[in-house]
Amino acid sequence: MNPFKISNCHHQPPFLFISQNTLLSSPHFLSLPVSPTPHVPLSASTLSPFPPNLVSISKLQLPSFKHARVSRVSAQVWSNEYKKNSDDTVEVEEDLAIDGAVYQKTLRLVECSMFAAVGGLAYFLSTSLSIESYFGCFFALPILISSLRWGVAAGRKTMVATAMLLLVLSGPVKALTYLLMHGLVGVTMGTLWRLKAKWSLSIILCAFVRALGAVGCVLITSFLIRENILKLITVNIHASLSYIVTTVGINAIPSMDVIYLIFGTLVVLNCGFFVFLLHILYALFFIKFGMKASLKLPRWLEKAI
């Protein structure tokens, strides 16, 4: 019996079926006579080379995953990451611009640190070489520059950084001396110049601040050497004044209150003249370096310049 002959029965045994590829590729398949029975209608199950159970399985509707589009999801994720990276790059470029906030903060930090280092080293070398009296007028200048450029807070931070540097290099005595004699004066002058106050007010306040700093230095030195230097100064002033009064022919002895008043007045006058000279020197310095717009000079100085 020829197994390739199609019988009238439209149901084939489940064990006798050949795949479609095999039938089409066989050379004998083309020569076989095909005589379908007219009484039996041809259906898809009849003509199919597969068994009917497989045909029914092929008709089953399998679930379709419409949303599982890997290419679109990956493209969307890549586009989101690209946008995020581009936004971060733009933000970094804006921050690192000259007008950016990060750039300005970094520049302020670098300048304040530089001014603090220069002021601390200058004071340390001057005191070590005993030339403080020659360069004492420049110790408050870095604080004043920081205050005018970056604000009062920057000048105060410069003063604190300089004091901490001197504390490490020279000890607490030199650091306190710098704070009382130069640091507080620089901060006061920088604050008043930043607010564009009048020179008369600035000179008076800076003179009082320096006078208080000088008295504080005397008290600190007295504590360290276990000797009341302020008392010695007032006693010497009292003795000198009594001698002058006696020489003139006045039979009177000044009281200690008068001596303290005279001593305080002399200290304030000395500090006032020193601060006045600092104002003129610093004003000329800033005008020389093109910072005249940030200053409020008196009329007589503007006319002289």
Side-chain angles (χ1 to χ4, degrees), residues 1 87 168 289:
M1 182 177 179
D87 294 339
V168 175
F289 283 90

Side-chain angles (χ1 to χ4, degrees), residues 260-283:
Y260 291 144
L261 180 61
I262 294 173
F263 172 74
T265 304
L266 292 176
V267 171
V268 170
L269 288 176
N270 184 15
C271 296
F273 282 114
F274 179 78
V275 170
F276 177 72
L277 293 177
L278 286 184
H279 276 67
I280 296 177
L281 179 63
Y282 292 166

Side-chain angles (χ1 to χ4, degrees), residues 8-28:
N8 295 331
C9 183
H10 63 278
H11 292 290
Q12 294 180 0
F15 56 88
L16 291 176
F17 69 92
I18 302 173
S19 64
Q20 187 177 1
N21 296 330
T22 305
L23 291 175
L24 293 176
S25 63
S26 176
H28 300 285

Side-chain angles (χ1 to χ4, degrees), residues 17-264:
F17 69 92
I18 302 173
S19 64
Q20 187 177 1
N21 296 330
T22 305
L23 291 175
L24 293 176
S25 63
S26 176
H28 300 285
F29 179 75
L30 300 175
S31 62
L32 290 177
V34 179
S35 58
T37 304
H39 299 286
V40 181
L42 294 176
S43 62
S45 63
T46 304
L47 297 178
S48 176
F50 299 99
N53 54 357
L54 294 179
V55 174
S56 62
I57 292 173
S58 64
K59 293 180 180 180
L60 294 177
Q61 293 182 359
L62 297 176
S64 60
F65 301 95
K66 297 181 179 180
H67 300 285
R69 297 178 181 179
V70 179
S71 60
R72 292 185 179 181
V73 173
S74 60
Q76 185 177 5
V77 172
W78 181 82
S79 63
N80 293 333
E81 290 181 355
Y82 177 75
K83 290 180 180 179
K84 184 177 180 181
N85 294 331
S86 62
D87 294 339
D88 294 339
T89 304
V90 171
E91 290 180 359
V92 170
E93 291 179 355
E94 290 179 354
D95 291 337
L96 295 180
I98 297 178
D99 297 333
V102 177
Y103 181 84
Q104 294 295 324
K105 290 181 180 179
T106 306
L107 183 61
R108 179 180 62 181
L109 178 62
V110 171
E111 286 191 5
C112 292
S113 303
M114 180 186 66
F115 289 140
V118 170
L121 291 176
Y123 185 81
F124 174 73
L125 294 176
S126 298
T127 54
S128 299
L129 300 175
S130 300
I131 54 176
E132 182 181 1
S133 57
Y134 299 100
F135 296 97
C137 56
F138 296 102
F139 295 148
L141 183 60
I143 302 174
L144 183 60
I145 296 175
S146 299
S147 300
L148 290 179
R149 282 184 56 81
W150 303 107
V152 180
R156 186 170 60 250
K157 291 177 181 179
T158 304
M159 180 192 68
V160 174
T162 307
M164 295 301 295
L165 179 62
L166 290 174
L167 179 65
V168 175
L169 295 176
S170 302
V173 179
K174 294 292 181 64
L176 288 175
T177 305
Y178 172 81
L179 282 176
L180 296 174
M181 296 297 295
H182 306 284
L184 296 177
V185 175
V187 171
T188 306
M189 190 183 299
T191 303
L192 294 173
W193 282 28
R194 180 75 179 183
L195 298 175
K196 293 185 178 181
K198 294 182 178 180
W199 271 33
S200 57
L201 179 62
S202 178
I203 292 172
I204 291 172
L205 291 179
C206 291
F208 275 107
V209 170
R210 184 172 174 84
L212 293 176
V215 174
C217 289
V218 171
L219 294 177
I220 292 173
T221 307
S222 300
F223 175 77
L224 293 176
I225 65 175
R226 303 296 178 88
E227 186 68 34
N228 194 351
I229 300 177
L230 186 59
K231 184 178 179 180
L232 293 175
I233 294 173
T234 53
V235 168
N236 290 328
I237 292 174
H238 184 271
S240 300
L241 189 58
S242 299
Y243 178 77
I244 293 172
V245 169
T246 304
T247 305
V248 174
I250 301 174
N251 294 325
I253 298 175
S255 62
M256 293 302 298
D257 295 334
V258 176
I259 299 301
Y260 291 144
L261 180 61
I262 294 173
F263 172 74

